[in-house]
Amino acid sequence: LCKADLTTEVVGEFPELQGVMGRYSALNDGEDKDVADAIRDHYKPAGPSDDVPTKPVSMAVALADKLDSLTGFFAVGEKPTGSGDPFALRRAALGVIRMVLDTGTRLKLRTIKNFDDQLLTFFADRLKVALREKGVRHDLIDAVFALGDEDDLVRLVRRVEALQVFL
């Protein structure tokens, strides 16, 4: 249901209405409001200033969509390069990171099917960038990541924050 609106001419003409049109269609078809909201919200966050989905159904669908794209593209060798990211995989990873951190959701990345070490490293790199953009010192980030426990994003960030407070 969350991708059904992609076949409409409205979304073809106005891509910014992806999800919005799907929500209207779902409500019109008698779907539950939480399902309709999840259809609308599964594209979020679209950028750094966009809100993340927080309702359980919306968050589950958004995480599933982003993680499915990431694991699928990495499995077939389509990874972002220094000069390009045609499938917006960096944005998808940052979306997962923001959802997990903003809601405090404990997600064991290694338990996700097809989540390999390359993808774990990709997530670690994205998290490091996000932390640096928030002004966290690189030596604190490196110290926490040196522990080798990159599977739980919430725990990683809490360790960085604890180290900041301690210092």
Side-chain angles (χ1 to χ4, degrees):
L1 290 175
C2 67
K3 299 296 184 189
D5 65 351
L6 295 180
T7 62
T8 67
E9 290 183 28
V10 173
V11 172
E13 189 69 27
F14 303 102
E16 65 273 11
L17 294 179
Q18 288 178 350
V20 174
M21 293 305 298
R23 181 180 185 278
Y24 286 127
S25 295
L27 289 172
N28 185 60
D29 291 346
E31 293 294 338
D32 185 87
K33 184 181 180 307
D34 285 342
V35 171
D37 288 346
I39 292 169
R40 177 197 59 211
D41 294 343
H42 86 281
Y43 290 105
K44 293 180 180 181
S49 61
D50 199 10
D51 291 333
V52 299
T54 55
K55 291 182 180 177
V57 176
S58 294
M59 191 168 167
V61 174
L63 283 171
D65 179 53
K66 288 166 181 48
L67 290 168
D68 179 61
S69 294
L70 286 159
T71 56
F73 279 111
F74 267 72
V76 297
E78 290 290 338
K79 301 167 194 131
T81 63
S83 61
D85 184 10
F87 304 109
L89 299 179
R90 287 185 187 101
R91 185 175 67 193
L94 286 171
V96 170
I97 290 168
R98 284 201 46 222
M99 279 188 280
V100 166
L101 296 180
D102 288 3
T103 62
T105 302
R106 304 302 291 268
L107 178 66
K108 295 285 190 177
L109 296 174
R110 290 187 195 275
T111 63
I112 299 168
K113 186 176 181 183
N114 296 327
F115 205 97
D116 62 12
D117 287 339
Q118 286 185 341
L119 196 48
L120 192 63
T121 300
F122 179 71
F123 262 80
D125 291 343
R126 300 281 59 80
L127 180 57
K128 288 175 184 178
V129 168
L131 289 171
R132 283 188 198 116
E133 287 176 354
K134 288 184 174 183
V136 178
R137 291 177 16 199
H138 68 87
D139 58 333
L140 301 182
I141 297 168
D142 291 343
V144 170
F145 276 84
L147 297 172
D149 182 17
E150 299 165 353
D151 188 43
D152 186 333
L153 302 176
V154 172
R155 182 173 35 214
L156 276 168
V157 171
R158 286 183 182 161
R159 286 178 175 169
V160 169
E161 291 167 348
L163 188 55
Q164 280 182 302
V165 169
F166 179 74
L167 292 176

